[in-house]
Amino acid sequence: MDNRRIGLFDSGLGGLTVMKELMQALPEESIVYFGDTGRVPYGSKSSETIIRYTKSDIAFLQTFDLKMIIAACGTASAIALPHLKGDCRVPLLGVTEATAKVAAKLTRNGRIGVIGTAGTVRSDAFAKLIAKENAEVSCRSVACPMFVPLVENGYADHKATRLIAEEYLEPLMQQGIDTLILGCTHYPILSHVIQGIVGDGVQLVNPGTCVAQEVKSLLTDNQLLSSGEAASYHFYLSDDPSEFARLGSLFLERSISADVSRVDIETYTEATL
Ligand code: DGL
């Protein structure tokens, strides 16, 4: 048994799609969420900046007594985590590995599409991980830089989003993919739009469900599950949290009346890790 909380972070609110899956898979686990809403997006920044931001996110979360930290952000997982694993006092998990494994198992025709931020696509992280699982599988990645601002601003259901999504997904459809990795944790909010465009023949892979199953196995196998007291959820943001209740409940698909606090993330640096 381990009643310490799980720490989760993202560049903004996208990581809440991972939190939603964790809450479902592990309803007794308490969670501390940090969303770097003051510095979102990460995906268009340089690798150096993404690594620096990720280090400060982890430094902040390490001020809590946690049992593990999850980078609920495709960009931080793909670009920063390979440089940081040794810097964290508790197990540090990203979303890329579990998601790549699931996708490699799911594909029937060996053609997987990946959509993600410019940074994630530049890193080629998903394709490299999939190649390790199955060298026969081909992977085509496309950056969708406009998805994150559309989602963060509540445009998930807008016709403009559908038009942009059609444009982004066209090259993947031409490749005849049968599996599509939603390589950014904001994208599950657009699942219905994306599924409508790619059709039911293409299976969408949500990093949140993959990582929630991975965390569940890890905690179960190592006897680290919480003992069954009521779970608590705390949220920290690096910008004004006044819109959080409205947007956050959209991501979590439940109303949020929980604690939301603002944190000055710039004061947490590599030196405070
Ligand atoms: N949720 C982040 C990711 O998964 C959003 C990307 C961003 O901040 O640009 O990559």
Side-chain angles (χ1 to χ4, degrees):
M1 289 292 168
D2 186 341
N3 284 341
R4 288 177 300 168
R5 295 182 282 180
I6 296 174
L8 216 68
F9 72 90
D10 179 46
S11 58
L13 304 183
L16 295 173
T17 63
V18 178
M19 180 161 171
K20 180 184 147 214
E21 302 299 333
L22 268 182
M23 287 161 77
Q24 254 160 38
L26 293 161
E28 283 159 5
E29 297 300 326
S30 295
I31 297 171
V32 183
Y33 182 90
F34 171 65
D36 199 0
T37 48
R39 302 190 295 195
V40 70
Y42 283 13
S44 52
K45 309 276 186 338
S46 68
S47 299
E48 203 186 356
T49 300
I50 295 164
I51 294 169
R52 183 165 57 82
Y53 285 179
T54 305
K55 280 185 176 171
S56 61
D57 302 343
I58 293 170
F60 168 64
L61 282 177
Q62 288 205 111
T63 61
F64 300 93
D65 185 22
L66 303 171
K67 60 176 141 188
M68 69 188 308
I69 294 177
I70 301 169
C73 173
T75 311
S77 303
I79 293 182
L81 253 50
H83 299 269
L84 301 180
K85 286 210 168 158
D87 290 325
C88 197
R89 291 191 296 272
V90 292
L92 175 61
L93 220 76
V95 293
T96 42
E97 273 144 27
T99 311
K101 270 191 192 141
V102 170
K105 281 208 185 84
L106 274 180
T107 183
R108 293 283 159 259
N109 71 2
R111 284 181 223 158
I112 297 179
V114 179
I115 50 174
T117 64
T120 298
V121 168
R122 185 175 71 236
S123 78
D124 219 16
F126 283 104
K128 288 177 193 157
L129 289 164
I130 287 167
K132 275 197 208 158
E133 295 297 314
N134 183 349
E136 309 284 292
V137 171
S138 76
C139 224
R140 169 84 201 263
S141 307
V142 170
C144 305
M146 288 200 301
F147 279 174
V148 170
L150 287 166
V151 166
E152 290 266 330
N153 288 288
Y155 277 69
D157 258 328
H158 199 275
K159 60 176 187 266
T161 308
R162 262 186 296 280
L163 278 177
I164 291 166
E166 273 167 18
E167 189 78 17
Y168 283 149
L169 297 168
E170 174 63 23
L172 295 176
M173 295 316 292
Q174 278 177 12
Q175 297 287 312
I177 59 158
D178 72 350
T179 304
L180 177 61
I181 293 182
L182 307 179
C184 166
T185 53
H186 281 72
Y187 299 176
I189 297 294
L190 301 174
S191 284
H192 61 292
V193 173
I194 294 169
Q195 193 79 70
I197 294 167
V198 298
D200 290 339
V202 176
Q203 324 179 66
L204 304 188
V205 187
N206 175 351
T209 40
C210 305
V211 92
Q213 286 316 312
E214 189 190 20
V215 172
K216 190 173 180 173
S217 311
L218 219 124
L219 296 184
T220 310
D221 295 349
N222 294 291
Q223 283 141 25
L224 292 174
L225 290 164
S226 284
S227 64
E229 287 160 30
S232 67
Y233 306 114
H234 290 89
F235 301 89
Y236 294 86
L237 303 177
S238 55
D239 202 4
D240 180 7
S242 58
E243 277 291 285
F244 181 70
R246 187 180 67 79
L247 277 175
S249 44
L250 215 116
F251 279 76
L252 282 179
E253 290 178 6
R254 62 163 76 185
S255 64
I256 301 178
S257 53
D259 270 352
V260 190
S261 315
R262 186 165 178 171
V263 54
D264 183 1
I265 195 64
E266 298 285 355
T267 59
Y268 298 87
T269 62
E270 193 168 355
T272 58
L273 262 174

